[in-house]
């Protein structure tokens, strides 16, 4: 479904270049749930933006559903790291935005029902007509989540979608997300800083190295679904894998140093391993 | 703490009373100046003389005001109808912007008084040269504030629209134009005063009614007081139009209320 | 509507729609057109006339040339100079004033009581106005050095205030402006007028302007219009107060007093003492003389115009 | 994808070439119109005639341009020096805003031509009435764009400053004014053209140099071509000043680059 | 140090009232580390804003250091839920903002050294001169953190300061925060959605009920310091308390219903308990 070959991204700024990503080779199968972890600033958001077609890669090729990515696609939804709500639109109207934009999307009334369902699902009933500035941070994030779910997309790219949510809401919503994935066999690439969340949700976890982001390891998760974040049957397995991932994150790579001022061309060290436990 | 306010700042009454207080203060100063410096009435008539002049023939002056007001509003609306699409085009395409902007600037820089007779020559004595003059005077602030407002839309929101595969038209109408509304209203507010001035200038040439004509005409009878009465009416018209726009903004853009 | 058909097509009433421009604004001095309108002289001649205020000779010429108006009034000297520079398709078909109304005006106490006081003084005037352009001719006639007088440019509406405030000692003005200046001066100083016409009697004042092709293709029409207008002028000269009153009907802001006085002053310029030609008279010889004067003062180039370029003698009023 | 751009949109050469192309296109249209419709030169002289007129006496016209330019810049700077503090006061206090705003509006609405002679009478024939006229014409866009820009500072950032116990002055100078800079520059860009026009209007009265004087002069002598040459110079001056401001903005506000 | 008595907060909007907080009675001692947990939208940020003096309470009284709060104080620093960086200022200059504003703050040079130290501490060396829009979400949050630390405040109010950070950075920075707290005996009120983080950092954990936010329980944490978020000696204790807090969050209160449209005056049910284990 999603295929990245030798993808790299370099940002040029007046204070020098930053190599955000280097030599990313990743293949996400249709219906797969991949979580992406890595230290802050390692290029996770950048990677999603590349897949979404919001940014052309400096090097390498990105393909979605077999076609080279040249721009955003209707069947891919992107949930941004920040809520990105339109300040003049009510909660409901923000959620309905993707439907409004895709005029061929079918019956508006049925989407409206779906929107109400989603709003209720994330616990925002009663706030449908409020404006974003009247909401708390986590409430805004939930609106953004509803917006990314409204059109039942084929591919979902989610950048820390639960970062501003409490543990309970997180659990509820991650269960819901798994249900959606199973029912519609959506392909999901999901960025999170919660290692447990990464483990509980993923078919595979991709661990990136710190700046520049290279693939340190890909960990296949074999725990049967449905899984739950809270107290659950697979607590020890989750804890065990989490521990490993923790260690992977902490591991110092030989090629790792401050590269804020360095050009990617200088470093060409690959660290892609595909470990299946 | 931000929301503890005295009645002076929060009451809607004060929103009407304070401007009137300010107005009276200036009338007082004006009157004081005419008395203390014994300013000759042909230079600066006293405010009372001006008020008196107005009440001598309020009906006629009000009908002249109506004429100017109509031209002002027509020209202003035309400027919106023409200016906003130009701004859209400018933001849409860097190439068109670079081609078109300097030309707009040049047209805008022409001293309009110098071309007023030309407009009459080209368009006759009817309403058209007046409306076009108003348009010429006020389109530029509308174009530039709309364009700059749309260009300042946060990248974050533009990326959102792009990620939804919004068409360029949708990006403009559902996002950029809406986002720019407060700035566009600032442009409107600048433009409306210019529109009023435009109607006056246009009435200096080949008109037989309107406040510009009255000002021009007052020269024929050396009636400085009449000229000032007309100028006062223009000022009031301008202030009323401005606050009308402010009210409209308040109603249309509740999400963009001022933050102090 | 505008353009060619304006003067040639009939309206519902069978009257021909015609537009007419005053020389500048709607001062009392323009009353004669309103008199002709009010008394039905235009109607009798078959015209439905719309009077609009003009904004100066050059603008009037352009509007007539451009077809926005059929007839207009302008200062003959400025008219000649303009045609010498640009060949506009307009022509003169009769005179309103037999003598130029150009003058320099001052107030008592500003140091000008006669032409001999002018050297060293500053005169406010619209740049390029007849008063400024013809000043060298006037200066020569009164025997002073034209370069000894400074001209300070300002648009006409600002001039009375400049004079009354003493910022300038004199201003360029038409003689009929006298009552206006008097009214504008709250100190009620005496107005001192130095008319060019006294010293340079050859200059005409205002002239009737129309499009060249109208004069060429429809001479009868032009004649009829001119005659109707001149009838109004005759009545105005006979009864200035009545003319002012008629004008006030059309232009309510007119100051009756000022307008009457303007028209009284104007009498002697429409019909100077000793003038016994027909009202509106033009003579080839005088036009030639004026052209020579202009050439002399270098206001126009030598040989740049001939009398035929500027006046259609065949349409000039005959007694 | 946002950063794939052709040389047409990204090259700095095109930023100069395209405006010139646009300019030439309009000159062409203008010339075409004069030829095709056989427009008489007194209505609209051909561009070549205008250029020719310029090259007849380039030195003199350039020196007149210099005079007008100086007045324009002086008045514009004065408008900034006066307008920005007024805007600060307006944003600072709702009460003062309600007292002062209507008055500013009234002053702004006065047709400046009508008061040009008054300025000369009060201030003489020197530079002052010219500079003041420029100021009067261009202060308002500066005030309103500065004020509205400062009012639109995000609550989030205002709260940050308050939480740091910043003084009001610090809130204004370290946050609001900086935040409003792009909008203030929009105001400047509108104001600069008005400033140019202000210098022209002021030169209509009591001036013996400057492009306004040239226009006035040429109007009387029916030298339409000279008038157009002066108007062209004014337009060019206005365009150059505008792009000067745009360049300054680009240099001063790298963080606020346009987002398309 | 901080004392709230019967504090309530009601927001009036055009779509009706929202009662954000109700009857909050809380006393935070000098040098104490209190964490605040509660479901998204329950009023945590509002509570911090009340303490910071950014918002006057609708009812009740707030006191800091014995004085009634009438506005922000110099000795209280507030780290917002969103980074709130000035877009025209470089990283370094954003960090230096509080020093610039307090002119009596002493030697600028020494603060500059401190700023560099902090920037290095949060792993942003090399980015000192970059503008905020060139940073990733987590990097922006770290800048905001540095800014709130630069003046060694007496009281620190921190609204989800680590929400956008990876597990490792989180651990490092929470250790640093504890060190600062111990050295300077700073009083800290800290909002987080990570229950473990709440437990590891806090002397006491305050659990709020969902909207309207009332105090459900205050849990005293007895684990000896220094504690660590990652693998540590007190894993089981942390897990045990976390479990309890999880349950508390999930517990349905009798007075709990959708109150988005309800006036606080109608519900006057208190649920303040002070449980010390
Ligand atoms: N300015 C406001 N206007 C209206 N309602 C507001 C405003 N600010 C907050 N609220 C409401 O107050 C309640 C509490 O908001 P607050 O931001 O304190 O929640 P929170 O606990 O910080 O949530 P989160 O964990 O999602 O950040 C919410 O229901 C919100 O809708
Ligand atoms: N527009 C930009 N200009 C310059 N540099 C950028 C830009 N966007 C991102 N970067 C740099 O690229 C790197 C990766 O950024 P990215 O946002 O992808 O990180 P991330 O993994 O999502 O981090 P976080 O977990 O903090 O969100 C960072 O070092 C950042 O400074
Ligand atoms: C913005 C702006 N304001 C006023 C004028 C006015 N103006 C200057 S000269 C003149 C007539 C003089 O005879 C008029 C009306 C303008 N052009 N532009
Ligand atoms: Mg990110
Ligand atoms: Mg919050």
């Amino acid at each position: 479904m999603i295929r990245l070959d030798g993808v790299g991204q370099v940002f040029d700024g007046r204070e020098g270049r930053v190599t955000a990503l280097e030599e990313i080779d990743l293949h996400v199968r249709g219906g797969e749930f991949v979580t992406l972890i890595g230290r802050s600033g390692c290029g996770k958001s950048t990677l999603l933006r590349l897949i979404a077609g919001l940014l052309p890669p400096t090097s390498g090729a990105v393909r979605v559903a077999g076609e080279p990515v040249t721009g955003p696609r209707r069947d891919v939804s992107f949930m941004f790291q920040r809520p990105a709500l339109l300040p003049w639109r009510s909660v409901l109207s923000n959620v309905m935005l993707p439907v409004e934009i895709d005029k061929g999307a079918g019956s508006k009334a049925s989407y409206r029902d779906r929107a109400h369902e989603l709003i209720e699902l994330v616990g925002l009933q009663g706030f449908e007509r409020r404006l974003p500035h009247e909401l708390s941070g986590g409430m805004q994030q939930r609106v953004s989540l509803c917006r990314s779910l409204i059109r039942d997309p084929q591919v979902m790219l989610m950048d820390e979608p639960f970062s501003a949510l409490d543990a309970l809401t997180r659990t509820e919503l991650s269960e819901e997300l798994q249900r959606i994935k199973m029912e519609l066999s959506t392909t999901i690439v999901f960025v999170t800083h919660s290692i447990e969340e990464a483990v509980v949700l993923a078919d595979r976890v991709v661990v990136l190295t710190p700046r520049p982001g290279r693939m340190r390891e890909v960990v296949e998760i074999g725990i049967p679904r449905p899984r739950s974040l809270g107290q659950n049957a697979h607590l020890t397995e989750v804890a065990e894998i989490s521990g490993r991932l923790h260690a992977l994150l902490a591991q110092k790579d030989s090629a790792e140093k401050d590269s804020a001022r360095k050009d990617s061309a200088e470093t060409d060290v690959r660290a892609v391993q595909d470990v299946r436990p | 703490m931000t929301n503890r306010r005295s009645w002076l700042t929060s009451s809607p009454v004060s929103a009407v009373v304070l401007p009137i207080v300010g107005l009276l203060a200036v009338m007082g100063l004006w009157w004081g100046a005419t008395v203390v410096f014994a300013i000759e009435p042909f230079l600066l008539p006293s405010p009372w003389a001006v008020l008196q002049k107005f009440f001598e023939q309020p009906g006629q002056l009000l009908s002249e005001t109506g004429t100017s007001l109509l031209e002002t509003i027509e020209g202003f609306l035309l400027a919106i109808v023409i200016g906003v699409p130009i701004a859209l085009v400018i933001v849409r395409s860097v190439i068109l912007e670079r081609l078109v902007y300097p030309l707009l600037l040049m047209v805008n820089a022409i001293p309009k008084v110098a071309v007023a007779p030309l407009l009459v020559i080209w368009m006759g004595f009817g309403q058209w040269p007046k409306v076009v003059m108003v348009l010429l005077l006020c389109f530029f602030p509308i174009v530039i504030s709309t364009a700059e407002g749309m260009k300042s839309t946060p990248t974050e929101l533009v990326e959102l629209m792009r990620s939804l595969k919004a068409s360029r038209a949708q990006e403009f109408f559902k996002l950029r134009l809406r986002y720019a509304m407060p700035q566009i209203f600032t442009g409107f507010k600048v433009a409306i005063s210019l529109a009023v001035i435009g109607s006056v200038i246009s009435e200096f040439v080949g008109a037989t009614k309107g406040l510009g004509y009255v000002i021009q005409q007052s020269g024929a009878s050396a009636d400085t007081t009449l000229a000032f009465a007309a100028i006062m009416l223009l000022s009031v018209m301008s202030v009323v139009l401005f606050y009308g726009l402010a009210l409209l903004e308040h109603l249309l853009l509740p999400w963009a209320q001022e933050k102090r | 509507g505008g353009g060619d058909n304006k003067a040639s097509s009939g309206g519902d009433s069978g009257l021909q729609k015609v537009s007419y421009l005053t020389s500048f604004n709607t001062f009392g001095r323009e009353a004669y057109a309103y008199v002709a309108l009010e008394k039905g002289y235009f109607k009798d001649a078959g015209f439905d006339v719309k009077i609009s205020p003009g904004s100066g000779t050059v603008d009037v010429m352009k509007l007539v040339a451009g077809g926005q108006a059929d007839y207009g009034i302008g200062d003959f000297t400025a008219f000649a100079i303009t045609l010498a520079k640009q060949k506009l398709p307009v022509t003169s078909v009769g005179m309103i004033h037999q003598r130029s109304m150009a003058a320099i005006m001052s107030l008592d106490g500003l140091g000008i009581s006669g032409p001999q006081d002018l050297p060293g003084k500053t005169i406010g005037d619209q740049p390029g106005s007849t008063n400024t352009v013809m000043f060298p001719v006037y200066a020569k006639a009164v025997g002073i050095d034209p370069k000894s007088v400074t001209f300070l440019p300002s648009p006409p509406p600002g001039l009375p205030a400049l004079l009354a405030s003493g910022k300038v000692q004199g201003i360029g003005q038409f003689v009929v402006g006298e009552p206006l200046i008097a009214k504008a001066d709250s100190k009620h100083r005496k107005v001192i007028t130095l008319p060019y016409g006294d010293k340079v009697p050859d200059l005409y004042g205002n002239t009737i302007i129309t499009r060249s092709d109208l004069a060429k293709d429809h001479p009868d029409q032009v004649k009829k219009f001119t005659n109707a207008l001149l009838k109004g002028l005759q009545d105005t000269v006979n009864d200035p107060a009545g003319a002012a009153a008629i004008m006030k009907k059309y232009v309510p802001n007119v100051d009756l007093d000022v307008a009457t006085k303007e028209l009284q002053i104007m009498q002697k310029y429409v019909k100077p003492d000793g003038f016994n030609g027909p009202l509106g008279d033009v003579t080839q010889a005088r036009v030639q003389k004026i052209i020579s004067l202009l050439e002399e003062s270098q206001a126009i180039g030598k040989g740049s115009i001939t009398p035929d370029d500027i006046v259609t003698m065949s349409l000039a009023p005959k007694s």
Side-chain angles (χ1 to χ4, degrees), chain A, chain B, chain C:
Chain A
M1 197 66 191
I2 302 170
R3 169 153 228 133
L4 291 94
D5 291 301
V7 167
Q9 183 65 42
V10 178
F11 291 103
D12 273 320
R14 48 182 70 203
E15 292 295 324
R17 296 174 144 201
V18 174
T19 308
L21 290 170
E22 231 173 55
E23 290 295 335
I24 303 289
D25 296 297
L26 178 67
H27 180 199
V28 181
R29 290 177 292 271
E32 197 181 13
F33 200 132
V34 169
T35 56
L36 217 56
I37 64 173
R39 303 202 58 171
S40 167
C42 75
K44 302 177 295 297
S45 302
T46 305
L47 188 58
L48 289 198
R49 274 154 45 82
L50 289 173
I51 301 173
L54 288 172
L55 193 69
T58 318
S59 60
V62 183
R63 303 174 76 86
V64 169
E67 295 158 21
V69 169
T70 56
R73 302 167 53 103
R74 274 269 147 75
D75 52 359
V76 176
S77 92
F78 193 163
M79 179 172 167
F80 291 84
Q81 191 167 1
R82 281 163 59 167
L85 304 178
L86 305 192
W88 52 88
R89 281 182 174 245
S90 68
V91 165
L92 181 64
S93 154
N94 261 296
V95 172
M96 290 290 286
L97 182 68
V99 180
E100 252 181 59
I101 281 177
D102 184 4
K103 289 195 194 94
S107 148
K108 205 148 173 191
S110 74
Y111 274 114
R112 189 167 288 270
D113 292 344
R114 173 93 180 111
H116 279 288
E117 249 173 69
L118 285 169
I119 287 171
E120 182 137 9
L121 180 77
V122 301
L124 287 177
Q125 62 280 21
F127 286 86
E128 290 86 351
R129 310 188 46 193
R130 295 201 178 244
L131 294 176
H133 78 265
E134 296 175 293
L135 306 180
S136 78
M139 291 160 87
Q140 293 180 8
Q141 193 172 41
R142 285 179 272 159
V143 176
S144 165
L145 180 68
C146 293
R147 183 178 60 197
S148 77
L149 291 174
I150 184 98
R151 299 232 4 254
D152 294 331
Q154 271 263 287
V155 177
M156 293 183 58
L157 309 172
M158 311 183 84
D159 200 352
E160 307 185 25
F162 304 149
S163 63
L165 302 181
D166 58 282
L168 287 179
T169 312
R170 235 171 223 257
T171 312
E172 283 166 28
L173 292 181
S174 59
E175 275 162 15
E176 187 58 28
L177 196 60
Q178 288 181 74
R179 201 188 51 72
I180 290 173
K181 185 221 142 174
M182 310 262 263
E183 268 175 29
L184 307 174
S185 69
T186 317
T187 311
I188 301 179
V189 182
F190 186 107
V191 174
T192 179
H193 281 312
S194 161
I195 294 176
E196 306 214 336
E197 192 171 86
V199 174
V200 169
L201 289 171
D203 298 319
R204 281 191 296 161
V205 179
V206 175
V207 185
L208 294 180
T209 63
R211 209 170 332 111
R214 276 171 275 109
M215 286 169 69
R216 169 158 297 159
E217 191 140 350
V218 178
V219 180
E220 195 107 9
I221 312 289
I223 308 171
R225 291 182 187 270
R227 312 164 186 157
S228 167
L229 245 185
Q231 277 79 355
N232 70 38
H234 307 285
L235 204 58
T236 47
E237 279 165 272
V238 171
E240 189 257 330
I241 304 178
S242 295
R244 250 189 63 216
L245 288 173
H246 216 281
L248 276 172
L249 269 183
Q251 182 185 309
K252 284 263 177 288
D253 192 295
S254 63
E256 229 168 76
K257 35 198 147 127
D258 173 28
S259 58
R261 294 157 186 284
K262 226 154 35 70
D263 189 332
S264 70
E266 296 168 30
T267 42
D268 202 357
V269 185
R270 292 233 215 152
V272 185
Q273 304 165 29
D274 209 359
V275 180
R276 279 146 222 255
Chain B
M1 310 249 176
T2 47
N3 52 5
R4 270 191 200 138
R5 287 186 167 179
S6 82
W7 75 273
L8 262 178
T9 59
S10 60
S11 125
V13 176
S14 89
V16 176
V17 170
L18 284 177
I20 292 177
V21 169
L23 203 64
L24 289 180
V26 166
M27 298 273 277
L29 275 180
W30 171 5
W31 175 75
T34 53
V35 169
V36 173
F37 301 110
I39 295 178
E40 314 223 29
F42 73 88
L43 278 183
L44 186 64
S46 89
W48 314 135
V50 172
L51 274 181
Q52 216 173 325
K53 181 60 86 176
F54 173 75
F55 284 111
E56 261 171 35
Q57 29 175 257
Q60 201 234 325
L61 276 175
L62 283 181
S63 110
E64 307 287 12
T65 309
T67 305
S68 299
L69 181 64
L70 193 68
E71 290 161 9
T72 302
I73 292 177
E74 285 171 358
F76 179 67
L77 292 180
L78 196 63
I80 294 179
V81 168
I82 293 177
V84 171
I86 290 181
L88 285 168
V89 165
I90 281 175
V91 178
R92 173 74 184 76
S93 153
V94 184
I95 299 175
L96 282 177
E97 166 171 4
R98 289 190 180 155
L99 284 172
V100 168
Y101 231 31
L103 303 175
L104 291 181
L105 285 170
M106 295 191 81
V107 170
N108 186 49
I110 294 172
K112 302 307 174 305
V113 220
V115 295
L118 278 184
L119 286 183
V120 174
I121 290 169
W122 290 333
M123 289 177 249
F125 295 98
Q127 288 302 95
W128 271 109
K130 279 103 188 164
V131 172
V132 169
M133 177 59 92
V134 172
L135 166 74
L136 282 176
L137 256 125
C138 78
F139 83 96
F140 190 69
I142 295 178
V143 170
I144 192 171
S145 64
T146 307
E148 301 281 332
M150 288 199 296
K151 281 183 199 166
S152 70
T153 312
T155 328
E156 175 176 308
L157 299 180
V158 174
E159 284 208 328
L160 167 71
M161 293 306 274
R162 302 234 163 121
S163 83
L164 295 173
K165 219 172 156 56
S167 67
R168 275 300 187 137
Q170 287 173 323
E171 180 182 318
F172 277 95
F173 290 106
K174 289 192 191 288
L175 175 61
R176 287 185 187 266
L177 203 56
R178 293 298 302 269
Y179 186 87
M181 279 318 277
Q183 259 176 276
I184 295 176
F185 262 96
T186 306
F188 286 176
K189 287 175 187 167
V190 171
I192 197 74
S193 322
L194 291 174
V196 172
I197 291 176
S199 76
V200 175
I201 297 179
S202 71
E203 285 162 0
F204 280 177
V205 181
T208 47
K209 48 198 167 92
L211 290 172
Y213 168 71
V214 171
I215 292 175
Q216 186 83 338
Q217 183 60 41
S218 68
S221 47
D223 194 344
T224 318
T225 315
L226 179 62
F228 268 83
I231 290 177
M232 284 298 287
L233 279 171
L234 283 169
S235 293
V236 169
M237 185 168 125
S238 187
V239 173
V240 167
L241 287 170
F242 181 94
Y243 279 103
L245 280 174
L247 185 67
L248 193 68
E249 181 182 8
H250 188 84
L251 294 177
L252 289 182
L253 312 177
W255 54 275
Q257 300 309 323
E258 306 170 349
K259 298 135 195 161
R260 299 193 197 237
Chain C
D4 286 337
N5 58 353
K6 219 175 186 174
S8 47
S9 69
D12 293 341
S13 51
L15 293 179
Q16 209 163 53
K17 285 206 187 301
V18 156
S19 55
Y20 167 92
L21 287 174
T22 67
S23 64
F24 188 86
N25 227 327
T26 42
F27 290 89
R29 60 197 78 155
E30 309 286 349
Y32 50 91
Y34 295 92
V35 171
L37 186 64
E38 171 72 9
K39 295 198 171 172
Y41 299 152
F42 286 140
K43 212 169 174 187
D44 296 343
F47 299 111
D48 173 11
V49 176
K50 180 174 182 294
I51 302 174
S52 300
S55 44
T57 305
V58 176
D59 281 350
V60 167
M61 288 168 71
K62 286 181 180 176
L63 285 166
V64 171
Q68 291 297 346
D70 302 305
Y71 301 93
I73 304 297
D75 180 70
F76 186 71
T77 313
F79 178 75
I81 293 171
T82 305
L83 282 182
K85 296 216 161 118
Q86 278 192 326
K87 298 290 173 223
L88 303 187
V90 289
T91 184
S92 158
V93 292
M95 293 299 159
I96 299 296
H97 307 124
Q98 292 299 322
R99 259 206 276 164
S100 171
M101 300 200 298
I104 285 173
M105 231 167 253
S106 181
L107 291 169
D108 198 23
L110 292 177
I112 299 178
S113 49
Q116 71 285 351
D117 298 328
L118 285 173
K121 300 292 191 298
T122 303
I123 308 295
D125 195 10
Q126 180 173 33
S129 76
T130 307
N131 314 48
T132 302
V133 173
M134 295 314 290
F135 185 74
V137 178
Y138 177 73
K140 204 175 124 201
V142 298
I144 58 171
D145 177 10
K147 297 214 167 58
S148 64
V149 180
T150 313
F151 274 80
L152 191 89
S154 163
L159 291 174
L162 281 177
L163 180 64
S165 68
K167 290 279 162 185
V168 294
Q169 289 82 48
I171 57 175
Q173 199 71 339
F174 283 157
V175 285
V176 290
E178 191 182 315
L180 208 64
I181 304 297
K183 191 187 163 202
D185 180 32
S186 55
K187 293 197 196 118
H188 307 294
R189 286 168 287 189
K190 190 170 157 280
V191 179
I192 291 142
T193 309
L194 311 177
Y196 289 10
D198 289 357
K199 309 289 175 187
V200 195
D202 290 318
L203 294 178
Y204 285 115
N206 281 350
T207 183
I208 306 169
I209 300 166
T210 190
R211 272 200 315 287
S212 306
D213 59 349
L214 197 61
K216 202 161 116 238
D217 302 339
H218 304 279
D220 296 347
Q221 219 183 85
V222 174
K223 259 191 188 150
K224 272 198 263 172
F225 180 86
T226 316
N227 284 336
L229 185 66
L230 290 174
K231 255 169 114 179
L233 183 61
Q234 181 65 60
D235 289 4
T236 305
V237 170
N238 294 345
D239 177 13
I246 287 173
M247 182 160 181
K248 195 168 172 63
K249 275 206 238 168
Y250 290 87
V251 188
N253 281 331
V254 160
D255 185 315
L256 213 51
D257 211 36
V258 170
T260 307
K261 280 191 196 137
E262 279 195 11
L263 292 171
Q264 281 164 350
I265 295 171
M266 209 172 86
Q267 283 172 317
K268 275 205 302 199
Y269 287 80
V270 175
K271 271 192 165 168
D273 298 336
F275 171 74
N276 39 27
L279 211 59
D281 188 32
V282 198
T283 67
Q284 179 99 17
R286 256 183 90 176
V287 173
Q288 185 56 63
K289 184 94 189 283
I290 291 168
I291 293 175
S292 310
L293 278 175
L294 288 171
E295 286 173 351
E296 236 172 82
S297 65
Q298 288 177 338
I300 64 176
K302 270 230 174 317
S304 52
I305 38 168
T306 65
D308 287 342
D309 291 339
I310 54 176
V311 182
T312 308
M313 291 307 298
S314 61
L315 293 177
K318 308 280 179 311
S319 45

